[in-house]
Amino acid sequence: MICALASAVCFGTASVFQAVAARDTPTGTGSGVDARLLLRVLTQWRYLLGLALDGLGFLLELVALRTLPIYTVGAALAATLAVTAVVAAPVLGVRLRRAEWGAVAVVCGGLALLALSSGAEGHRAGTPALRIGVLVCALALLAGGALAGRLPDRARAAALGLGAGFGFGVVEVAVRLIDGFGPADLLTNPASYALLIGGAAAFLLLTAALQRGAVTTATAGMVIGETLGPAVVGVAWLGDRTREGLAPLAVAGFALAVAGALALARFGEAPAAHPAEPVAEPGPAPLAAERP
């Protein structure tokens, strides 16, 4: 649980730098999957600093996913938005309203309930069909992103955000489906390729959403996509369970953590002004949660 929460801290802090860098990057094509966008943002030092934090967060996430149920890790990662909101306050001069501090408290309370009620990770290995299905989902995200990039603005933001959430969810499930880390094990396991493709697709879709600005809806879609789907897979196919008699407590904690994160979705907005300029209070907050 400590690794899951530390991962959320890394991701939330990284998003402060990455959203600013994405907004400062010139637009490219109209597609939701523009690989050249990543090349352009990689010239921004803020984005590179965010990537370093993302890498550390991803390693911590791997440890958590090999120890805790997916639903617990997913809810902890949804708390990235709470971290982003708190970090944005001193770094970018954004003041949190009372209701937003309340949402941060709700997220923390939900995670506390999950920590008390979560059992160990499930011990089911997952079927070959599930491994192949996860890979198919990862590939479908790339095709879906290209179509989403041509939707009207509001629908595009929702579609890109939801697609990014599904991509992060693919990563969460794929980690659990990797039995061994030897070269032969990795090369013959479809889940290994699903992890790489799903993570890259999610990263690309969310970067596109950040760069296009109106991403509050996208952030909410991302939180839903990365928590609900993987949680269902973990319980239904991988044997994730709660501690004896504490299932209602786990459900309540999960719901509170996700609801609190959704209440902070405005922190998916990239700033309209350069970060060096004063930010008018109580202007829109800057950022969106992002991870590989």
Side-chain angles (χ1 to χ4, degrees):
M1 194 66 184
I2 291 174
C3 286
L5 295 176
S7 177
V9 170
C10 289
F11 293 145
T13 305
S15 68
V16 173
F17 301 103
Q18 289 169 327
V20 173
R23 190 32 125 37
D24 286 346
T25 302
T27 58
T29 69
S31 171
V33 181
D34 179 10
R36 289 174 295 180
L37 173 60
L38 285 179
L39 297 178
R40 290 193 294 273
V41 295
L42 286 174
T43 63
Q44 303 264 356
W45 70 266
R46 296 178 186 85
Y47 203 85
L48 295 176
L49 178 57
L51 280 181
L53 289 170
D54 277 334
L56 177 59
F58 185 60
L59 293 176
L60 293 167
E61 179 186 356
L62 290 180
V63 175
L65 285 168
R66 303 294 292 186
T67 309
L68 293 173
I70 292 177
Y71 64 81
T72 301
V73 179
L77 294 180
T80 295
L81 281 174
V83 175
T84 297
V86 173
V87 171
V91 172
L92 295 168
V94 177
R95 288 191 180 182
L96 273 69
R97 298 186 289 257
R98 185 176 301 176
E100 289 165 339
W101 280 115
V104 172
V106 167
V107 170
C108 295
L111 292 175
L113 293 180
L114 276 173
L116 291 173
S117 59
S118 296
E121 66 165 343
H123 297 293
R124 296 181 195 168
T127 64
L130 182 58
R131 290 180 171 85
I132 294 173
V134 171
L135 177 57
V136 170
C137 289
L139 292 171
L141 286 173
L142 292 174
L147 296 175
R150 291 172 169 78
L151 294 172
D153 287 347
R154 187 171 181 82
R156 179 176 60 193
L160 288 175
L162 189 61
F166 284 144
F168 294 135
V170 164
V171 171
E172 293 172 24
V173 175
V175 168
R176 286 282 299 277
L177 296 176
I178 296 176
D179 301 320
F181 292 93
D185 295 324
L186 293 175
L187 290 174
T188 58
N189 190 340
S192 302
Y193 303 100
L195 188 153
L196 295 174
I197 297 172
F203 203 31
L204 183 55
L205 293 177
L206 190 57
T207 300
L210 279 169
Q211 199 262 353
R212 295 177 197 285
V215 295
T216 300
T217 303
T219 305
M222 182 195 68
V223 170
I224 293 172
E226 73 176 345
T227 53
L228 298 185
V232 170
V233 172
V235 172
W237 284 284
L238 298 177
D240 288 347
R241 294 292 182 267
T242 64
R243 293 182 183 178
E244 189 67 28
L246 295 182
L249 196 65
V251 171
F254 182 87
L256 286 173
V258 173
L262 291 176
L264 292 166
R266 83 179 184 99
F267 285 87
E269 290 289 356
H274 189 278
E277 299 174 1
V279 178
E281 193 275 328
L287 314 155
E290 177 176 346
R291 52 194 159 278

